[in-house]
Amino acid sequence: MTKAQLNFLDIREESGTMENVKETKNKGVAFDVILRPATADSPPVVHHQSSPTVERPLSQQDIDRKLKEAQERRLSLEASKLQSITKEKERVQEVNQKAQELSEAFSKDAEKKLAEKMETFEENKRAQELAKQEKLKEHERHAQEVRKKRQSQPPDDSKSSN
């Protein structure tokens, strides 16, 4: 950037050194340029310490009490784990049972539909066979009528004389 592009708006001086310069480009965008890093003059961060622990001698009763409490915590944790495992197993069994019920329902439905299709097929087959038999009977009746007509008509001599 050239000096023509920069417009120095604010220069602050603290103890004789420049800390911050605010610059603006031609289009009015402002940004800060830090000329010097943060100084060590800032106050140090104070870490709060917890109160000092006073060690007192542990009696046998305290040790036994703490061991008993630890054992109770272990048993409680184990019981809660067993309870959660039992709930999970029950949930898995319910899901499996539901899946099996759905599968059985699907199988029954499919079997029912197949039986209906087979029944429809058999009915159609019987109907077709009956229709063919009826057609054959009708054809046989017609053939009988034609034979009777031929027998009742006198034979043509004109055909045989040629």
Side-chain angles (χ1 to χ4, degrees):
M1 291 186 165
T2 63
K3 277 190 171 183
Q5 292 175 329
L6 294 178
N7 181 13
F8 294 104
L9 294 178
D10 185 21
I11 300 176
R12 279 186 256 154
E13 290 189 22
E14 278 186 25
S15 64
T17 60
M18 281 193 294
E19 284 187 3
N20 199 355
V21 177
K22 195 167 194 177
E23 298 180 5
T24 306
K25 288 187 177 182
N26 286 339
K27 295 190 179 186
V29 177
F31 55 94
D32 290 335
V33 177
I34 299 173
L35 299 175
R36 160 180 94 140
T39 61
D41 295 340
S42 61
V45 178
V46 178
H47 296 287
H48 297 286
Q49 295 181 356
S50 60
S51 62
T53 57
V54 177
E55 291 189 27
R56 57 187 170 127
L58 293 176
S59 66
Q60 185 63 33
Q61 292 174 348
D62 290 339
I63 292 173
D64 291 340
R65 180 181 50 82
K66 287 184 179 185
L67 286 173
K68 185 177 178 181
E69 289 173 355
Q71 182 65 23
E72 288 174 359
R73 282 193 305 269
R74 273 189 240 109
L75 291 175
S76 173
L77 181 63
E78 185 177 337
S80 67
K81 285 182 181 179
L82 287 174
Q83 186 179 14
S84 67
I85 289 172
T86 304
K87 284 183 181 179
E88 183 67 21
K89 283 183 180 180
E90 288 174 358
R91 191 184 70 77
V92 167
Q93 286 176 348
E94 289 174 3
V95 168
N96 286 339
Q97 182 180 2
K98 187 173 182 179
Q100 188 167 354
E101 289 173 359
L102 288 174
S103 176
E104 288 174 1
F106 176 77
S107 295
K108 286 180 182 179
D109 190 40
E111 189 175 325
K112 184 178 177 181
K113 286 181 181 179
L114 181 62
E116 289 174 357
K117 283 183 180 181
M118 291 297 290
E119 186 178 329
T120 304
F121 175 76
E122 289 295 324
E123 289 174 1
N124 288 343
K125 186 176 178 182
R126 277 189 236 119
Q128 286 177 354
E129 287 175 355
L130 289 175
K132 282 184 182 181
Q133 287 176 355
E134 188 62 35
K135 189 175 179 182
L136 285 173
K137 286 179 184 177
E138 187 64 35
H139 181 69
E140 186 63 32
R141 278 188 235 133
H142 181 67
Q144 287 293 335
E145 289 175 13
V146 170
R147 285 186 203 124
K148 284 182 183 179
K149 283 184 183 178
R150 279 194 176 173
Q151 288 176 355
S152 65
Q153 286 181 354
D156 274 344
D157 290 333
S158 60
K159 288 185 182 178
S160 58
S161 61
N162 282 337

